[in-house]
Amino acid sequence: MHLYPLIRPFAFALDAETAHRLTVKTLRLMPPRRPPNLPASLRTRVAGIDFPTPIGLAAGFDKDAEVAEQLLSFGFGFVEVGTLTPRAQQGNPKPRLFRLRRDRAVINRLGFNNGGLPAAHGRLQQDMRLPGIIGVNIGANKDSQDRIADYVNGVRAMAPVAHYLTINISSPNTPGLRGLQDEGALEELLSAVQDVRAKKPIFLKVAPDLDQRDPERIVRAAIDHGIDAIIVSNTTISRPRLRSRHANEPGGLSGTPLKPLALDALRRFRRASGGEMPLIGVGGIASAEDAWERIRAGASLVQLYTAMVYEGPGVAARIARGLARRLKREGFASIGEAVGTERS
Ligand SMILES: Cc1cc2nc3c(=O)[nH]c(=O)nc-3n(C[C@H](O)[C@H](O)[C@H](O)COP(=O)(O)O)c2cc1C
């Protein structure tokens, strides 16, 4: 049932943030349903977690963990909620979310608008009774005096109600946040988080806008501090050639124009890690072909967000089925077997 093409013109007639809010409200009213049956060949184990499919919803859609169950019911193999900060915050002034339709892209400078950790905690406690996999993406408050303490608080509070936690130091919309990717700060952050993780897997989410030597340095720090996977990548502050009128809005760019940058960043992280660190590919994935390319380039899992804006939540199951066909056609028995098999 492809309802989304019918709904999309109405959603696109609204400004992007109003449409998003309305979508989340509508999803909240949806009665629980069972996820679609997806091919067993897609089951894959990463960081000790059994994922039913390798296609997840990226952070930022369900910032406050309001509709994780409904999103899982569309066939996402996992849903990452957040970014959540210790205290609720408003984010940047509106407008701050723009569709770039001709580019199949989005620019956002939301700035971690969210209701804070305590409000999401109760909802996630309920969600943990579900069979689906839910990750919690953790950030720092904009006005925080001690950002590392914010991550420590986030990991400590949310470890009991998450299958994994993501340390997000790659949002371009909180001034100075990406500075935590720098050498000394990263070491300090990762070792502080280690102490409170309560055995839960920790993923680190990085930006695509990195210098030549950054991947090697980040991979080394991640391995040294027992990080379980690196998510490559967040949105870009760069501006490849774009055609839409919002092209010059400040913020992070996602969707199709991010694809070559995110793929290139993934390949650099794969080279730097030599397969030692699981990688999660994100950025401009909109088809089974895109997911397959990312897996061959070294991703054990993939995530998407912007493709759902343009194609609706059915995109998760469509990509999953296409991926299973591709896997079979290429003669692989599992996703794990195909990871990193592209010829360089
Ligand atoms: C509107 C919007 C909000 C986002 N918010 C977050 C966020 O809160 N935390 C985060 O780690 N990433 C956030 N992202 C980044 C996505 O998780 C993802 O890394 C990025 O959009 C690239 O994937 P895509 O091209 O499939 O959208 C956001 C992206 C968009 C479009």
Side-chain angles (χ1 to χ4, degrees):
M1 191 173 49
H2 297 301
L3 273 180
Y4 195 71
L6 301 175
I7 298 165
R8 187 171 48 199
F10 298 101
F12 278 23
L14 303 168
D15 82 86
E17 191 161 349
T18 309
H20 176 257
R21 206 46 240 154
L22 199 65
T23 307
V24 172
K25 276 198 181 147
T26 310
L27 287 173
R28 265 169 58 182
L29 298 173
M30 252 178 62
R33 344 172 278 172
R34 276 199 325 170
N37 271 331
L38 294 171
S41 61
L42 297 178
R43 291 186 196 145
T44 190
R45 191 175 173 85
V46 179
I49 302 170
D50 289 315
F51 291 86
T53 88
I55 298 134
L57 179 63
F61 180 85
D62 188 11
K63 286 188 188 266
D64 286 310
E66 295 172 278
V67 287
E69 178 176 13
Q70 290 84 343
L71 290 164
L72 286 165
S73 78
F74 285 104
F76 282 104
F78 59 113
V79 168
E80 188 168 313
V81 303
T83 294
L84 287 158
T85 58
R87 285 170 289 111
Q89 64 179 28
Q90 296 274 324
N92 290 319
K94 294 178 188 171
R96 54 191 182 174
L97 181 60
F98 306 89
R99 286 185 215 99
L100 283 69
R101 288 178 68 169
R102 296 177 66 197
D103 299 297
R104 290 240 150 192
V106 165
I107 290 178
N108 93 81
R109 53 169 178 276
L110 294 168
F112 290 168
N113 56 314
N114 77 107
L117 290 172
H121 188 276
R123 287 190 286 274
L124 285 164
Q125 235 164 359
Q126 298 292 321
D127 289 339
M128 279 300 106
R129 301 191 190 132
L130 306 169
I133 306 296
I134 300 178
V136 178
N137 180 303
I138 303 290
N141 279 112
K142 183 180 178 186
D143 62 359
S144 169
Q145 298 299 309
D146 183 351
R147 287 200 168 146
I148 290 182
D150 281 14
Y151 288 95
V152 168
N153 288 340
V155 169
R156 188 189 283 126
M158 301 317 253
V161 292
H163 291 99
Y164 71 86
L165 300 141
T166 296
I167 304 293
N168 175 19
I169 46 173
S170 48
S171 166
N173 300 314
T174 296
L177 194 85
R178 285 181 168 199
L180 289 170
Q181 296 178 136
D182 297 346
E183 192 148 11
L186 184 62
E187 299 273 340
E188 195 184 333
L189 170 66
L190 297 186
S191 84
V193 161
Q194 262 321 304
D195 298 337
V196 294
R197 65 191 295 179
K199 298 201 176 119
K200 280 288 156 76
I202 306 254
F203 300 171
L204 180 69
K205 185 166 179 181
V206 298
D209 313 309
L210 294 170
D211 292 337
Q212 208 53 43
R213 299 167 64 123
D214 284 338
E216 209 163 301
R217 179 180 62 71
I218 292 173
V219 164
R220 201 170 335 110
I223 290 174
D224 286 352
H225 291 93
I227 293 298
D228 296 276
I230 301 179
I231 305 182
V232 189
S233 71
N234 214 311
T235 55
T236 179
I237 53 171
S238 74
R239 289 292 178 270
R241 198 139 40 136
L242 299 169
R243 303 189 301 163
S244 312
R245 73 186 164 97
H246 292 305
N248 293 321
E249 290 289 346
L253 172 72
S254 58
T256 302
L258 172 60
K259 188 164 96 174
L261 296 176
L263 177 60
D264 180 59
L266 179 73
R267 288 186 172 131
R268 289 162 60 195
F269 274 90
R270 172 73 184 190
R271 269 198 299 277
S273 64
E276 230 185 291
M277 167 68 58
L279 301 172
I280 300 169
V282 203
I285 294 173
S287 66
E289 192 55 40
D290 294 339
W292 179 244
E293 184 179 38
R294 221 57 71 101
I295 289 165
R296 297 285 308 265
S300 297
L301 302 167
V302 298
Q303 294 178 318
L304 60 86
Y305 180 162
T306 303
M308 193 170 80
V309 173
Y310 288 97
E311 293 179 35
V315 71
R318 275 203 295 284
I319 294 183
R321 294 196 174 103
L323 194 58
R325 282 194 296 272
R326 188 67 194 248
L327 203 61
K328 196 168 168 196
R329 198 162 73 228
E330 304 274 346
F332 290 99
S334 70
I335 295 291
E337 259 183 31
V339 173
T341 51
E342 79 174 0
R343 259 183 249 148
S344 49

